[in-house]
């Protein structure tokens, strides 16, 4: 179609990133660079007893160069007085020895403390910091950033994420994953306490090893219901569902098990309720949907074998037939967006020609476009480059644009899963928010799961969660 938004990015664009300016977005305020960073005390010591203030590096250095040197100097001046007796001389020498030991101990201890504070303030890699150390709080909704995983023994392999927002603005989401023993688990995040729950095992058996995962939230339940989709050992799409904070927390088998659809063994899953996308053994893309009741159809398009798949809403009101975009990679390496509507054959809505490697990973998320008469969404695609770092492009109603590079997106593992969170919506359940507090993505870095948050302008490294 002539009006399809297209982005073509040459190789040089990665060394000179395009500027990123979203005129409709408001940056979230940041804290003063000179104010002390405050970390919740219970996260440092396992108890809730108040707040611990981490002194900035420059204040410690000022104390070393001014306060401590003045104190030492006054002691040395007093010691220059000439003694009048041998016993007095012996007492002074003993005092000098004791004071020297104290001064050396205080000075060395202060310097080491200052260096340790400096390493935290400047983001030293996890290998150089004592386990369970915390970085000072970054300007983001969550109070801390951990250098070590919250749950380092989980060994996740695959990732999916989904969540929802209350009418009061609070939000909840779950990160689903498969561990090295092929068991399925999830972590839940609650914004009302800025806390992660403990890992919860999904009580369902038969997931294939290294299965694709997809997650969604059904909003027309109270409370909403999470859906987890995966492939069983016969490569058939299977699922489990969980009503939020309602027993059993470990879930129950989903009705999709009675509507068997087989997939390519290396197929990924793209999910956003009521849509599920998968790849068939002949590399064509297939579409499953809920009407209510399950239905499916072939989209009649070929995709790169094993392509990443993501689905994002194109409308903030999301009325029936629930317009969405399926993001996939064509055989020629181009990332394409296919228009989805329940029960209909769609069309290729947009293409993004970027400098990425064949068969590399991507994820996508959407946020409501502010003051848009068509109730459209801004769409973001986070993808892996040939260097294994992540980069992103975005569409805000005009053209696809290349976002600036970010240190928060560096050093991803090759062929990592990239799972991004989009607020779940449903007609009659309110519209999508224009806020970016839920705009988070998860990927593997050094074998651990890293969380990054996008505030509409820049990415923030939130540390490891697994």
């Amino acid at each position: 179609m002539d009006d399809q938004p297209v982005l073509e990015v040459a190789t040089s664009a990665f060394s000179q990133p395009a500027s990123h300016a979203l005129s409709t977005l408001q940056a979230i305020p940041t804290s003063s660079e000179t104010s002390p960073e405050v970390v919740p005390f219970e996260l440092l010591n396992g108890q809730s007893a108040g707040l611990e203030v981490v002194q900035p590096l420059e204040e410690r250095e000022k104390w070393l160069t001014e306060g401590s040197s003045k104190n030492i100097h006054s002691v040395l001046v007093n010691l220059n007085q000439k003694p009048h007796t041998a016993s007095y001389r012996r007492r002074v020498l003993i005092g000098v020895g004791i004071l020297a030991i104290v001064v050396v101990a205080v000075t060395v201890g202060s310097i080491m403390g200052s260096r340790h504070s400096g390493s935290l303030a400047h983001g030293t890699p996890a290998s150089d910091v004592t386990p369970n150390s915390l970085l000072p709080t970054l300007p983001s909704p969550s109070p801390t950033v951990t250098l070590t995983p919250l749950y380092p023994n989980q060994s996740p392999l695959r990732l999916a994420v989904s969540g929802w927002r209350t009418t009061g603005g609070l939000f909840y989401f779950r990160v689903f994953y498969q561990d090295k023993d092929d068991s399925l688990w999830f972590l839940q995040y609650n914004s009302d306490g800025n806390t992660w729950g403990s890992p919860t095992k999904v009580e369902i058996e038969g997931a294939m090893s290294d299965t694709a995962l997809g997650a969604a939230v059904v909003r027309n339940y109270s409370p909403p219901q999470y859906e987890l989709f995966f492939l069983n050992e016969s490569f058939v799409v299977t699922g489990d569902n969980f009503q939020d904070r309602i027993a059993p927390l470990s879930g129950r088998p989903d009705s999709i098990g009675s509507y068997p659809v087989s997939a390519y063994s290396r197929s990924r899953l793209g999910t956003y309720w009521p849509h599920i996308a998968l790849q068939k053994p002949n590399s064509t893309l297939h579409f499953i949907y809920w009407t209510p009741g399950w239905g499916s159809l072939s989209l009649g398009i070929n995709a790169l074998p094993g392509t990443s798949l993501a689905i994002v809403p194109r409308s903030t009101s999301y009325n029936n037939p629930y317009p969405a975009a399926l993001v996939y990679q064509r055989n020629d390496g181009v990332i394409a967006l296919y228009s989805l509507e329940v029960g209909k054959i769609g069309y290729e809505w947009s293409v993004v020609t970027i400098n990425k490697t064949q068969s590399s990973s991507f994820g996508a998320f959407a946020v409501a476009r502010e003051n848009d008469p068509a109730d459209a969404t801004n769409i973001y695609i986070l993808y892996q480059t040939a260097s294994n770092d992540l980069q992103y492009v975005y569409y805000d109603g005009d053209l696809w644009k290349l976002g600036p590079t970010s240190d928060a997106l560096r050093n991803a593992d090759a062929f990592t899963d990239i799972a991004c969170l989009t607020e779940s919506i449903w007609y009659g359940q309110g519209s999508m928010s224009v806020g970016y507090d839920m705009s988070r993505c998860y990927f593997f870095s050094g074998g651990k799961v890293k969380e990054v948050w996008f505030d509409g302008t820049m990415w923030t490294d939130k540390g490891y969660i697994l």
Side-chain angles (χ1 to χ4, degrees):
M1 298 178 64
D2 294 337
D3 58 350
Q4 295 174 351
V6 178
L7 172 69
E8 294 189 0
V9 179
T11 304
S12 60
F14 287 84
S15 58
Q16 297 292 335
S19 60
H20 182 194
L22 295 177
S23 60
T24 59
L25 301 177
Q26 294 182 352
I28 294 177
T30 58
S31 59
S32 170
E33 295 180 356
T34 59
S35 61
E37 305 289 354
V38 180
V39 178
F41 189 81
E42 62 270 23
L43 294 179
L44 292 172
N45 297 282
Q47 299 178 356
S48 180
L51 295 175
E52 178 77 7
V53 177
V54 180
Q55 189 177 25
L57 176 62
E58 53 268 31
E59 291 187 20
R60 291 178 181 265
E61 292 177 343
K62 182 179 179 181
W63 182 87
L64 283 173
T65 57
E66 297 180 7
S68 62
S69 63
K70 291 178 180 178
N71 293 337
I72 294 172
H73 177 69
S74 65
V75 172
L76 293 177
V77 169
N78 291 336
L79 291 177
N80 285 333
Q81 296 178 6
K82 185 176 180 180
H84 298 283
T85 65
S87 61
Y88 182 83
R89 184 183 299 110
R90 284 193 297 270
R91 289 196 300 271
V92 170
L93 290 175
I94 292 172
V96 169
I98 293 173
L99 286 172
I101 293 172
V102 171
V103 168
V104 170
V106 170
T107 302
V108 172
S110 299
I111 293 173
M112 293 302 292
S114 176
R115 289 179 178 175
H116 183 64
S117 173
S119 69
L120 293 176
H122 294 286
T124 300
S127 59
D128 296 333
V129 180
T130 303
N132 299 322
S133 297
L134 296 176
L135 278 170
T137 303
L138 297 178
S140 63
S142 182
T144 59
V145 174
T146 54
L147 285 174
T148 54
L150 294 175
Y151 302 99
N153 298 322
Q154 289 294 297
S155 302
L157 298 175
R158 291 295 182 187
L159 299 172
V161 62
S162 189
W164 61 285
R165 187 189 300 275
T166 70
T167 54
L170 298 175
F171 59 89
Y172 307 90
F173 63 86
R174 290 182 180 181
V175 176
F176 295 89
Y177 59 97
Q178 185 182 42
D179 69 11
K180 60 184 178 181
D181 297 320
D182 298 338
S183 297
L184 303 177
W185 299 75
F186 68 82
L187 284 178
Q188 175 147 332
Y189 181 87
N190 301 325
S191 73
D192 49 357
N194 291 327
T195 56
W196 287 95
S198 300
T200 300
K201 187 175 182 180
V202 178
E203 294 300 331
I204 193 167
E205 302 294 335
M208 67 172 282
S209 181
D210 200 28
T211 180
L213 295 178
V217 170
V218 185
R219 290 297 309 272
N220 54 327
Y221 284 91
S222 183
Q225 178 172 288
Y226 287 92
E227 299 272 338
L228 172 64
F229 302 103
F230 56 93
L231 303 183
N232 67 16
E233 294 170 342
S234 300
F235 315 135
V236 173
V237 179
T238 310
D240 216 38
N241 62 57
F242 324 74
Q243 205 162 354
D244 196 3
R245 289 169 287 182
I246 299 294
L249 295 178
S250 56
R252 57 176 64 86
D254 191 77
S255 62
I256 197 171
S258 63
Y259 188 81
V261 177
S262 61
Y264 172 41
S265 62
R266 289 174 50 207
S267 174
R268 306 289 187 93
L269 295 176
T271 52
Y272 189 90
W273 190 258
H275 309 294
I276 305 172
L278 58 96
Q279 192 169 34
K280 301 291 279 185
N282 63 0
S283 296
T284 60
L285 297 183
H286 202 78
F287 179 32
I288 304 175
Y289 52 87
W290 176 266
T291 56
W294 293 108
S296 67
L297 56 84
S298 173
L299 296 179
I301 51 178
N302 287 294
L304 192 70
T307 176
S308 295
L309 297 171
I311 298 177
V312 292
R314 293 176 56 194
S315 166
T316 62
S317 54
Y318 207 52
N319 293 326
N320 193 348
Y322 320 115
L326 166 62
V327 188
Y328 70 98
Q329 193 171 8
R330 299 190 321 201
N331 284 314
D332 60 4
V334 170
I335 290 182
L337 288 87
Y338 185 90
S339 177
L340 287 180
E341 293 183 357
V342 165
K344 297 182 179 180
I345 296 292
Y347 56 92
E348 189 176 87
W349 169 66
S350 181
V351 294
V352 187
T353 304
I354 56 179
N355 183 18
K356 70 186 297 295
T357 59
Q358 294 280 83
S359 302
S360 64
S361 304
F362 61 81
F365 63 95
V367 177
R369 189 176 304 158
E370 192 170 12
N371 299 323
D372 187 77
D375 293 331
T377 61
N378 294 329
I379 297 174
Y380 297 81
I381 300 175
L382 183 65
Y383 62 93
Q384 189 166 36
T385 67
S387 65
N388 289 332
D389 294 336
L390 305 186
Q391 178 63 286
Y392 76 102
V393 293
Y394 63 99
Y395 177 70
D396 58 5
D398 182 13
L399 297 171
W400 284 99
K401 303 178 181 69
L402 178 67
T405 58
S406 171
D407 288 342
L409 303 178
R410 298 190 185 280
N411 301 318
D413 293 347
F415 306 108
T416 177
D417 270 9
I418 303 174
C420 294
L421 177 62
T422 297
E423 175 187 345
S424 296
I425 53 175
W426 193 248
Y427 74 98
Q429 300 290 328
S431 298
M432 180 181 290
S433 170
V434 297
Y436 281 79
D437 49 356
M438 290 183 70
S439 300
R440 300 155 188 252
C441 293
Y442 301 85
F443 60 92
F444 290 98
S445 178
K448 301 182 288 290
V449 178
K450 178 179 285 191
E451 178 186 35
V452 291
W453 167 60
F454 184 69
D455 67 2
T457 302
M458 61 179 292
W459 292 90
T460 297
D461 184 345
K462 302 289 292 177
Y464 300 111
I465 64 167
L466 290 167

